[in-house]
Amino acid sequence: IINMDKAAHEYLLMIEGADGVRVAPTERFTVGAGQILEYPVRVSIPKRVLSDRNQTLYFRLQASDRPRLRVTEVGRFLAPSG
């Protein structure tokens, strides 16, 4: 995550694409001015709601203090077989 602004921002990470999708460790974090942050996440989806083993997810990142600072990226969730 690259904060190219001259001020720090608190960001909210939302994941959409499946009911009950959860992200860990947290959905809110701060990125300092001009800072680059690697932010690995662990995504879990209840097995009962998976329609396919290969699920499209949408990662939406938005600054809490400046809602116009936002981006959406597409990712894949690959459920374990069995």
Side-chain angles (χ1 to χ4, degrees):
I1 299 166
I2 302 171
N3 179 3
M4 295 173 55
D5 202 356
K6 294 180 181 179
H9 294 288
E10 180 182 68
Y11 291 92
L12 173 64
L13 175 63
M14 299 162 280
I15 300 179
E16 301 169 353
D19 290 335
V21 65
R22 293 184 308 169
V23 61
T26 182
E27 297 171 346
R28 287 187 185 272
F29 49 90
T30 300
V31 181
Q35 186 179 21
I36 298 172
L37 176 69
E38 273 189 44
Y39 193 77
V41 296
R42 181 178 299 225
V43 175
S44 63
I45 300 173
K47 189 174 185 177
R48 66 182 176 351
V49 300
L50 284 174
S51 58
D52 191 359
R53 188 173 165 262
N54 186 348
Q55 186 85 32
T56 300
L57 296 178
Y58 300 91
F59 293 79
R60 302 189 194 284
L61 185 68
Q62 181 173 351
S64 301
D65 58 334
R66 290 192 51 202
R68 291 174 48 148
L69 289 177
R70 62 180 181 262
V71 65
T72 299
E73 294 291 336
V74 177
R76 308 293 306 164
F77 180 85
L78 301 175
S81 59

